[in-house]
Amino acid sequence: MKKLLLASLAPLLTFASSPLDVTFSTDRNAENGKIIVSVTNHSKQNIEVLKWNTPFEKTLNADIFDVNMGKKDSVYTGRVIKRATAKDSDYLLLEAGDTKRITVAMPTYYAMKQKGDYTIHFDGTFKYRLLDSTELKSFKLAKKALPEITLSFTPSIHQKRATLLKQTAIFNSCSENQIKVLKIAHDDAIKISKESRDVLVNAPKKTSSERYTTWFGKADEARQTKVTEGFKKIYDAFENRDVSFDCSTCKEDKDMYDSTYAYVHPNSQYEIYLCGAFWQSSTTGTDTQAGTLVHEVSHFTVVANTTDHVYGQELSQKLAKESPEKAVNNAENYDYFAENNPKLNMDSRDGNNDNSDNNDGSDNGSDDDWGQEEKELNLCFELTDDAKMDACFTAWEDKYYPYDEGSDDNWDDDELDWDDIDWDDEK
């Protein structure tokens, strides 16, 4: 394993409008692509920083970094979750003048499966409040103002193997009663996602219906197409794919269990991890069990690739009104559109019926074909010998992502041409 090389350090970032200063740097003694995030309270008052969707959670729960090699983005493989109400333990106390630091192992959360130089930008938001206050304020780090960190990183064979997308259909550590609950929630999710797909398919291409505009904002054909395609794939996931439910893993993180409904790793297809708030939620109304499943499935990159801009009905409606381009990418908005509580109609505000024949009603479905590149990568994962697997990865990378001949960062000596791999020896 090669050591992480420090290419550049981010200087201190100061924002007059906020009491927070943030720095980013690399861990000089680290391997495996670690960076250090530091936050300082430069004010004279004690404040509390909400840890949600920041590096200061024990486990990263949001895609808050831009990681790329050249023009190729590294896919976020960490989890994204549906939250309940924040507790006091969800805040980080920063006394006046105090600094807190945390180390983040980037390959744990991003598919850094090639060796080379990665540039990293922070693209998240810190939320904070004065001590003993309930008013939250936001501190958005201006992306253009952020100097980038560059990491020279070589993944291990185990890190490469960890990028394999799983497709398993099991109830993991679920009791008989939990399985019964999940089967009902799954059936309900099929119904509400199908109904959502159908009303959108049958709506005009630019609907101004109350239901659509409440959750996705001003009528717009391009955004509506995105939502419609999203619900086609959400329904397809529930109806035709093997969805895996995990009832135990979330319990290992006691700090988040009670205040979290569920979470997923967007790049791991159809695996849903259930938490405490899910089992306490109802089967009807708002934030239902079925709605939570719609929320989580929408996160998968092969489905709608949504994120979590806001939580809750009030903020989701506000997002739709003020920023519809974000609403069509917010998982909660898909959840609430599908639940449709309170019930809203799909008749346009000008009196025209949105359930007209302006669309052909066809369902193109979703094609889950990864292409030749991904198929060959999966062949590498099927090899049982680590040395052969490593050589297979090297051949795959050289075939699809070759380096310039003049680069000093050459491949290892054990590189192998793809066509030279002895597949028969594995059988």
Side-chain angles (χ1 to χ4, degrees):
M1 174 70 66
K2 295 181 181 178
K3 283 194 173 183
L4 186 69
L5 300 179
L6 177 64
S8 64
L9 286 176
L12 188 67
L13 305 174
T14 303
F15 294 81
S17 60
S18 168
L20 298 177
D21 286 332
V22 179
T23 61
F24 303 90
S25 62
T26 54
D27 184 344
R28 294 178 182 274
N29 299 315
E31 297 179 353
N32 300 329
K34 295 179 180 177
I35 68 170
I36 299 173
V37 181
S38 303
V39 59
T40 301
N41 175 12
H42 65 78
S43 73
K44 297 181 180 180
Q45 294 178 291
N46 296 341
I47 62 175
E48 293 178 309
V49 177
L50 183 61
K51 292 184 285 186
W52 286 4
N53 297 348
T54 78
F56 288 90
E57 293 190 273
K58 286 183 179 179
T59 301
L60 202 62
N61 291 315
D63 183 9
I64 57 176
F65 292 96
D66 289 333
V67 182
N68 60 76
M69 173 185 284
K71 295 182 179 180
K72 188 174 181 63
D73 291 336
S74 294
V75 175
Y76 175 68
T77 59
R79 63 192 186 187
V80 290
I81 66 179
K82 176 177 169 67
R83 312 267 194 180
T85 304
K87 308 185 303 293
D88 288 343
S89 59
D90 293 318
Y91 288 85
L92 175 71
L93 175 63
L94 270 179
E95 296 181 350
D98 192 15
T99 297
K100 300 290 185 183
R101 297 179 178 84
I102 193 166
T103 299
V104 182
M106 299 302 291
T108 302
Y109 308 108
Y110 292 87
M112 300 167 66
K113 55 191 177 184
Q114 273 186 272
K115 67 178 181 180
D117 292 339
Y118 291 82
T119 58
I120 300 174
H121 287 95
F122 181 76
D123 191 24
T125 300
F126 284 93
K127 295 184 178 181
Y128 64 93
R129 67 187 185 187
L130 297 179
L131 191 61
D132 298 326
S133 171
T134 58
E135 182 184 0
L136 273 180
K137 298 182 179 181
S138 294
F139 171 45
K140 175 70 175 178
L141 298 178
K143 191 172 182 180
K144 292 183 179 179
L146 287 173
E148 66 187 25
I149 296 175
T150 303
L151 304 179
S152 293
F153 172 69
T154 300
S156 68
I157 182 65
H158 301 292
Q159 288 165 333
K160 291 177 180 178
R161 186 183 299 172
T163 62
L164 175 64
L165 298 180
K166 303 175 184 177
Q167 283 185 295
T168 55
I170 60 172
F171 292 101
N172 181 22
S173 300
C174 299
S175 67
E176 285 188 25
N177 185 60
Q178 287 175 324
I179 292 174
K180 290 179 182 178
V181 170
L182 286 168
K183 286 182 177 179
I184 294 173
H186 183 265
D187 287 344
D188 289 344
I190 291 175
K191 292 175 184 176
I192 63 176
S193 60
K194 182 180 185 300
E195 188 273 342
S196 299
R197 180 203 66 173
D198 291 347
V199 297
L200 286 164
V201 166
N202 292 320
K205 294 181 179 179
K206 191 176 179 181
T207 179
S208 59
S209 69
E210 183 181 21
R211 183 174 175 186
Y212 177 85
T213 56
T214 295
W215 299 116
F216 296 111
K218 185 178 179 180
D220 177 88
E221 183 175 347
R223 291 195 296 267
Q224 186 178 329
T225 298
K226 177 180 175 66
V227 174
T228 303
E229 292 303 313
F231 270 111
K232 285 182 181 180
K233 293 183 178 181
I234 291 170
Y235 169 66
D236 174 73
F238 288 123
E239 180 67 24
N240 302 314
R241 311 293 169 173
D242 292 332
V243 179
S244 173
F245 298 104
D246 186 302
C247 301
S248 64
T249 303
C250 188
K251 293 179 180 178
E252 298 172 5
D253 194 334
K254 296 180 181 179
D255 289 341
M256 65 171 278
Y257 184 75
D258 290 336
S259 62
T260 301
Y261 288 88
Y263 67 85
V264 299
H265 298 274
N267 209 38
S268 292
Q269 296 178 47
Y270 314 123
E271 291 184 338
I272 303 176
Y273 298 81
L274 291 315
C275 302
F278 176 85
W279 305 112
Q280 300 300 318
S281 58
S282 68
T283 58
T284 60
T286 300
D287 291 318
T288 62
Q289 291 172 342
T292 293
L293 298 187
V294 169
H295 175 118
E296 297 305 331
V297 165
S298 76
H299 279 314
F300 292 120
T301 54
V302 295
V303 181
N305 197 25
T306 60
T307 188
D308 291 316
H309 291 296
V310 298
Y311 297 104
Q313 280 200 340
E314 183 178 349
L315 290 179
S316 295
Q317 289 182 18
K318 183 178 180 182
L319 188 70
K321 183 177 181 179
E322 297 179 356
S323 186
E325 68 279 359
K326 289 185 177 179
V328 301
N329 195 40
N330 191 57
E332 286 281 69
N333 293 66
Y334 285 79
D335 177 345
Y336 296 136
F337 182 93
E339 289 176 338
N340 197 22
N341 182 63
K343 187 174 179 61
L344 303 174
N345 65 56
M346 284 294 289
D347 291 335
S348 61
R349 298 180 187 276
D350 59 8
N352 295 323
N353 193 318
D354 274 6
N355 297 318
S356 62
D357 294 326
N358 292 36
N359 266 327
D360 61 11
S362 61
D363 182 4
N364 296 324
S366 64
D367 186 359
D368 202 21
D369 182 8
W370 290 356
Q372 189 63 27
E373 175 185 340
E374 287 80 8
K375 289 178 181 177
E376 291 184 4
L377 176 63
N378 282 341
L379 289 176
C380 294
F381 284 118
E382 294 174 3
L383 296 172
T384 57
D385 181 86
D386 276 0
K388 290 182 178 180
M389 184 182 291
D390 205 11
C392 182
F393 277 122
T394 301
W396 178 85
E397 290 169 331
D398 194 36
K399 180 176 180 178
Y400 289 103
Y401 303 99
Y403 278 90
D404 294 336
E405 293 182 2
S407 172
D408 293 331
D409 194 6
N410 296 319
W411 295 113
D412 297 332
D413 294 335
D414 62 350
E415 64 182 293
L416 183 69
D417 287 339
W418 181 262
D419 294 334
D420 291 339
I421 298 174
D422 187 1
W423 301 107
D424 292 334
D425 190 43
E426 285 289 320
K427 297 179 181 178

